[in-house]
Amino acid sequence: MGETVAVTPIDTYGQEYIEKHLIPGAMIGIEVGGQRIYEKGFGYRNVAQQLPVTGDTVFGIASMTKSFTSAGIMKLQETGKLSVNDKIVDYLPELKASGGPIERITLHHLMTHTAGYPPLATHVYARKNSIEQDPSAKDYGLDLLSNPGPHIETYDEMLAFMATDDFEWLGEPGQFYSYSNDSYGLLGVIISRVSGQPYEEFIEDNILKPAGMKNSFFTMERLDEAEAATTLYMKAKDGSRVYEAPLWWDAPSMRAVGYLKSTANDILRYLEMYWNEGIVGGERILSKESVAQMIHPHVEYEPGRCYGYGLRIVPDYFGSTLISHGGGLKGVSSYMCAIIEKKKAGVILTNVSDVPAGDLLMSAMNTTEGREVDASSSTYEVRQIAAEELQKFVGSYISSEGMNVKVGLDEGKLTIESNEVCRALKCIGENFFIDEDEDEGILQFIGNPNGEIERIVYGGRHIMKEIV
């Protein structure tokens, strides 16, 4: 590890940020060319015991796991065992029962969230055991308690559920981007079936171990053995306080979706694979060609923002290519990024859900590049829309994943309420809106052929409007 350079402004800004957002503990690390230029642990991994956060503190990383799953698929492609262009029913014939476009969906569609799946309840039921045992689940950001469906413990149960679930496809494969935990659950099954190994073991053998990620793992057993694992925390529903909520959630049938545990030091090692054309610490993990496929902007899901394979891509980030992915789960708000041409990587890991960890990391990245902490590479032109035109967007939008979004009108302004937080919106294009107070998180409304709004794209997911 190289010499740590103190970046004083972000220390102060970061401390104020975690206090404002009630984050018990956070770890930030930034490297250039494999040399650490900034690292800072804020708060505690256990508040009651005042245990510090370090680069070796084990956190959940949630959906950052998706890039590891995609890397596993690329590894299997390199060895000739599959192709990203293969039809998924070749590996998952049980899904043929779901009909629709299922036989036209490829691995590429799953990896880019363009298969056409709406958000299903699969992930809710896959972690139902954990939710039922955890009294803090009532304060989580999604409605996870009023779901009467089955426990999904095995791959067979997951496939049976997805094959028979009553849902309407969003469209043809490749037509729409809609962030899909279900798709990545299926990729985990494919990795296991094609490799002949448990998904977790395959990722460990082919990505984690060769990359030297010694403190990264999937299983709850390893978590019990980890000396430096963080305690988890939950924010009360009204946002007034944070309390200790030590139970880690697990979803054994869907670990490919977001159940890797890791450390800031390990994630920075992993990110070297992307800016160093597949090599980590002198060890080749993936081929140069596989990495190029993963960081290619396959689909533009928002203006200037694309998705590769398990990674988000901004092709023009202050003149460079930014790759990134965040994660959110009970006790987890995480974010990692790399600026490819600059061989620069950053990560933030925290121990509470529903906080904007990525914003703090990007502020730190800005500081190390001499920009203001709130500098953004995105610019939008705000449009003025008459209140009567905004009326068509008003309504409730509900997904099977537990998301409930209410869109309303207040003094001529469109508002959105989710997780008991209401925010005003401003229009930046036809049917496109952003939060009035921040330039991140574009919302899009989609209409039917008659021009009536039928769904919102929120958090990257297509969520259907409730018919009154």
Side-chain angles (χ1 to χ4, degrees):
M1 189 176 83
E3 183 180 348
T4 300
V5 178
V7 184
T8 312
I10 201 63
D11 285 2
T12 305
Y13 180 84
Q15 188 60 42
E16 293 172 353
Y17 195 92
I18 71 159
E19 290 173 6
K20 174 185 175 184
H21 292 283
L22 304 181
I23 302 172
M27 182 67 205
I28 298 178
I30 300 174
E31 291 187 350
V32 177
Q35 299 297 304
R36 196 71 50 96
I37 65 164
Y38 180 74
E39 64 175 21
K40 175 73 174 177
F42 296 92
Y44 302 99
R45 73 173 191 264
N46 183 290
V47 176
Q49 298 177 45
Q50 303 277 283
L51 299 177
V53 174
T54 73
D56 288 323
T57 299
V58 175
F59 292 87
I61 68 167
S63 284
M64 280 166 48
T65 305
K66 289 181 170 69
S67 67
F68 291 83
T69 299
S70 286
I73 293 288
M74 302 312 294
K75 193 71 179 177
L76 289 169
Q77 180 173 263
E78 285 181 19
T79 56
K81 293 186 176 179
L82 54 68
S83 164
V84 295
N85 298 313
D86 289 343
K87 303 286 193 293
I88 66 170
V89 290
D90 292 345
Y91 306 102
L92 309 171
E94 299 96 321
L95 290 180
K96 289 181 180 179
S98 53
I102 191 68
E103 299 207 30
R104 297 186 290 281
I105 297 173
T106 65
L107 275 70
H108 168 88
H109 293 130
L110 296 182
M111 295 163 80
T112 55
H113 302 288
T114 58
Y117 280 112
L120 305 179
T122 328
H123 191 204
V124 177
Y125 300 146
R127 52 186 167 164
K128 199 167 181 178
N129 273 341
S130 295
I131 292 166
E132 289 175 343
Q133 295 171 36
D134 192 348
S136 76
K138 69 183 188 305
D139 286 329
Y140 192 60
L142 300 176
D143 178 13
L144 303 178
L145 302 181
S146 57
N147 289 290
H151 292 76
I152 295 177
E153 296 295 313
T154 67
Y155 289 158
D156 288 343
E157 289 170 349
M158 178 172 67
L159 293 169
F161 176 82
M162 290 184 67
T164 58
D165 191 25
D166 183 22
F167 67 89
E168 187 175 333
W169 294 92
L170 297 176
E172 277 295 304
Q175 185 178 357
F176 294 110
Y177 169 96
S178 182
Y179 190 86
S180 174
N181 283 316
D182 311 279
S183 292
Y184 271 78
L186 296 179
L187 289 169
V189 184
I190 291 171
I191 287 173
S192 181
R193 287 187 173 180
V194 172
S195 70
Q197 292 179 266
Y199 160 83
E200 301 89 339
E201 186 179 288
F202 181 83
I203 298 299
E204 190 167 323
D205 288 350
N206 290 276
I207 310 295
L208 306 182
K209 286 180 180 176
M213 300 175 68
K214 297 177 181 177
N215 295 309
S216 301
F217 51 86
F218 288 92
T219 65
M220 302 300 280
E221 292 77 20
R222 284 282 303 277
L223 188 61
D224 293 337
E225 299 165 7
E227 291 181 13
T230 185
T231 300
L232 302 187
Y233 294 85
M234 183 70 84
K235 189 174 289 191
K237 200 78 168 178
D238 63 4
S240 63
R241 64 187 179 90
V242 166
Y243 61 92
E244 192 173 307
L247 183 74
W248 290 65
W249 289 359
D250 195 15
S253 61
M254 293 186 77
R255 285 183 177 148
V257 167
Y259 288 85
L260 184 60
K261 290 89 179 158
S262 191
T263 68
N265 288 340
D266 275 7
I267 294 297
L268 288 170
R269 289 186 68 85
Y270 170 67
L271 289 170
E272 182 180 345
M273 184 173 82
Y274 296 103
W275 58 255
N276 201 26
E277 299 181 335
I279 295 172
V280 176
E283 184 84 15
R284 179 162 294 285
I285 312 300
L286 290 180
S287 70
K288 177 181 176 180
E289 292 75 20
S290 288
V291 170
Q293 265 191 285
M294 287 189 69
I295 67 175
H296 181 77
H298 293 292
V299 55
E300 187 175 34
Y301 65 89
E302 289 177 1
R305 298 171 186 269
C306 306
Y307 206 86
Y309 287 160
L311 293 163
R312 303 186 188 279
I313 320 292
V314 178
D316 182 10
Y317 176 76
F318 297 107
S320 300
T321 304
L322 177 78
I323 68 166
S324 68
H325 213 286
L329 193 63
K330 186 269 174 89
V332 183
S333 295
S334 62
Y335 199 79
M336 66 178 181
C337 67
I339 304 173
I340 301 301
E341 295 85 352
K342 296 183 178 181
K343 301 183 183 299
K344 188 169 190 174
V347 63
I348 180 170
L349 303 176
T350 77
N351 51 13
V352 66
S353 60
D354 292 325
V355 294
D359 292 350
L360 180 53
L361 175 62
M362 297 320 294
S363 294
M365 295 288 281
N366 278 334
T367 299
T368 63
E369 303 212 322
R371 293 187 293 268
E372 293 295 320
V373 289
D374 58 353
S376 172
S377 64
S378 305
T379 55
Y380 307 110
E381 184 178 335
V382 178
R383 297 185 182 185
Q384 299 302 317
I385 305 291
E388 54 268 24
E389 290 183 52
L390 295 173
Q391 188 64 44
K392 65 180 179 181
F393 303 117
V394 172
S396 292
Y397 300 78
I398 297 173
S399 84
S400 297
E401 269 189 320
M403 194 171 279
N404 189 335
V405 178
K406 292 183 174 67
V407 177
L409 267 177
D410 183 19
E411 297 182 355
K413 285 188 177 181
L414 203 64
T415 63
I416 188 163
E417 182 181 338
S418 177
N419 198 23
E420 299 188 7
V421 176
C422 189
R423 293 164 290 146
L425 302 176
K426 54 188 178 183
C427 181
I428 58 169
E430 187 175 359
N431 292 359
F432 283 94
F433 293 81
I434 55 173
D435 192 317
E436 193 168 68
D437 296 324
E438 53 186 73
D439 287 342
E440 302 299 324
I442 296 177
L443 305 169
Q444 180 186 4
F445 293 89
I446 294 177
N448 61 22
N450 298 324
E452 300 161 332
I453 299 300
E454 66 174 14
R455 56 181 106 153
I456 186 175
V457 184
Y458 179 80
R461 294 159 168 83
H462 286 233
I463 305 174
M464 305 308 291
K465 189 175 185 180
E466 192 175 29
I467 298 173
V468 180

